[in-house]
Amino acid sequence: MAGRLIDDEPELSFQHALAASRRGGRLAAVREAVGLTAYAAGHYGEALREFRTYRRISGSNMHLPVMADCERGLGRPDRALDMARSEEAKDLDAPGKAELAIVAAGARTDLGQLDAAVSELEIVQLDINRAFSYSPRLFRAYSDALTAVGRTAEAEKWQRQAGVAENALGVDVSDDPDIIDLGWDEEEEAREEQQQRRLLAEQSAEQSARQTAASADEQAPRAATAEAVAGLPETAAAEDGTNALEEGSDDVESDFWESDDAESDEDSVERDALDRSEVLAGADSGETGRGNSGEDSHHDEDSHYDEDAHNDADSGQPERAED
């Protein structure tokens, strides 16, 4: 995040680098990030301290030009010149020497030494016929130094040459720099999360459909029974189930209440009701002999029933048919 924000939001980038330093302060790359973001945000004291720590941990002087520019930012151009003339400066590569020359020219300008600023930029790397990655910056710095001393024609020539070097290198300062991520990709992660949510939604829909179908199968017989209770026409499935029963099967209920024989209908009354009517008849006639136990009571009822049957036989009445 510090690398992504350093050009657009340097202060926020610096805060990200500080958060990293609280977790990995002994790593040279972390201290380097803090120094670069602090320099971009204008915190030159913090940047100089972090670059010194980075040099102590890694043993590298690659950020010596930036350290010299931090001295300029702190109002100490003479110290910047001391760094430019130090032994460590001799070990810098070509891009580092070009950057340090630009800083030294700026320090001379801060001190009012304009001719010395032009001299600081007249180094081996200042070649009008060759273009390197540092050439456009070096050419423009030299053009500005020439303008400051009144050498306008030469300044325009070097300014044009800076554009030629950019075209030769394929660099367009108006374009935003490309950011290449070698690890985590935010857009790719968002696409993966969206795909996972879609798969989960499809699985949930399929499971809900199966549960709905199972519930419908369980409730179908209950619905048919409810229609029958409500007096509505039964479904064809229910009629087919009824017709499937064989005639004379034990599962078929008897329709004794539809008999045309009144006497047969009377015989279809439950035995308990007949017994109670006979017992009441016997009680009205004053017959006794019922015991206290349930066993004696049952015996008396059977006795009364036998007497009635005997009287009916004597009177010539036909005997009732028993089911």
Side-chain angles (χ1 to χ4, degrees):
M1 291 306 298
R4 288 187 176 192
L5 298 172
I6 190 170
D7 294 328
D8 299 328
E9 300 182 56
E11 183 61 36
L12 182 58
S13 175
F14 175 57
Q15 296 301 323
H16 278 287
L18 286 178
S21 68
R22 287 192 289 268
R23 293 165 174 80
R26 294 181 179 273
L27 300 176
V30 174
R31 307 309 289 265
E32 179 185 25
V34 177
L36 290 173
T37 55
Y39 174 75
H43 305 299
Y44 300 115
E46 290 83 350
L48 186 59
R49 183 178 63 250
E50 294 299 324
F51 285 132
R52 286 172 178 169
T53 304
Y54 168 78
R55 183 174 59 181
R56 185 172 61 253
I57 295 174
S58 65
S60 173
N61 292 314
M62 62 177 297
H63 292 300
L64 187 64
V66 186
M67 296 172 65
D69 202 35
C70 288
E71 294 287 2
R72 283 188 60 208
L74 294 173
R76 299 182 298 218
D78 51 342
R79 292 190 180 182
L81 292 175
D82 291 339
M83 287 186 178
R85 293 190 294 265
S86 65
E87 293 294 329
E88 292 83 358
K90 298 178 181 179
D91 297 331
L92 295 175
D93 56 5
K97 290 179 179 180
E99 290 293 333
L100 187 57
I102 295 173
V103 173
R108 294 291 185 180
T109 302
D110 295 339
L111 295 173
Q113 303 171 1
L114 301 181
D115 292 330
V118 174
S119 300
E120 292 287 351
L121 292 170
E122 293 175 346
I123 57 177
V124 176
Q125 288 75 24
L126 186 67
D127 189 349
I128 197 171
N129 296 318
R130 303 181 68 183
F132 299 92
S133 60
Y134 53 83
S135 296
R137 281 177 48 81
L138 183 60
F139 291 169
R140 286 194 173 90
Y142 190 56
S143 175
D144 294 339
L146 292 173
T147 303
V149 295
R151 298 162 61 176
T152 307
E154 294 181 61
E156 292 177 355
K157 182 181 67 173
W158 284 98
Q159 188 69 28
R160 288 193 302 269
Q161 197 64 20
V164 173
E166 288 178 346
N167 292 331
L169 295 170
V171 178
D172 187 358
V173 294
S174 62
D175 294 338
D176 294 332
D178 294 332
I179 299 176
I180 301 174
D181 291 328
L182 301 180
W184 173 72
D185 190 344
E186 183 178 0
E187 295 181 356
E188 181 66 22
E189 184 180 15
R191 286 193 295 268
E192 291 179 359
E193 290 180 356
Q194 184 178 4
Q195 184 177 3
Q196 291 179 358
R197 286 194 297 268
R198 184 173 62 254
L199 293 176
L200 291 176
E202 292 176 357
Q203 293 176 0
S204 177
E206 292 178 359
Q207 185 176 3
S208 300
R210 289 194 297 268
Q211 293 178 353
T212 302
S215 300
D217 294 341
E218 294 178 357
Q219 294 177 358
R222 300 178 182 176
T225 305
E227 291 177 357
V229 172
L232 299 176
E234 296 183 355
T235 59
E239 292 177 357
D240 294 340
T242 303
N243 295 333
L245 295 174
E246 297 179 359
E247 293 184 2
S249 174
D250 294 338
D251 293 335
V252 180
E253 297 181 359
S254 60
D255 297 333
F256 63 88
W257 57 84
E258 296 180 358
S259 174
D260 294 334
D261 188 357
E263 186 176 358
S264 176
D265 291 341
E266 184 179 355
D267 291 339
S268 66
V269 180
E270 295 181 359
R271 177 64 179 274
D272 293 341
L274 292 176
D275 294 345
R276 285 194 298 270
S277 63
E278 292 171 0
V279 170
L280 292 175
D284 293 339
S285 61
E287 295 181 4
T288 59
R290 301 164 66 180
N292 294 330
S293 65
E295 203 177 290
D296 294 338
S297 177
H298 180 70
H299 175 72
D300 292 342
E301 290 176 359
D302 292 342
S303 298
H304 287 299
Y305 181 80
D306 293 340
E307 290 177 0
D308 292 339
H310 180 71
N311 292 334
D312 292 338
D314 293 341
S315 62
Q317 295 295 332
E319 186 177 359
R320 290 179 296 183
E322 297 291 334
D323 289 339

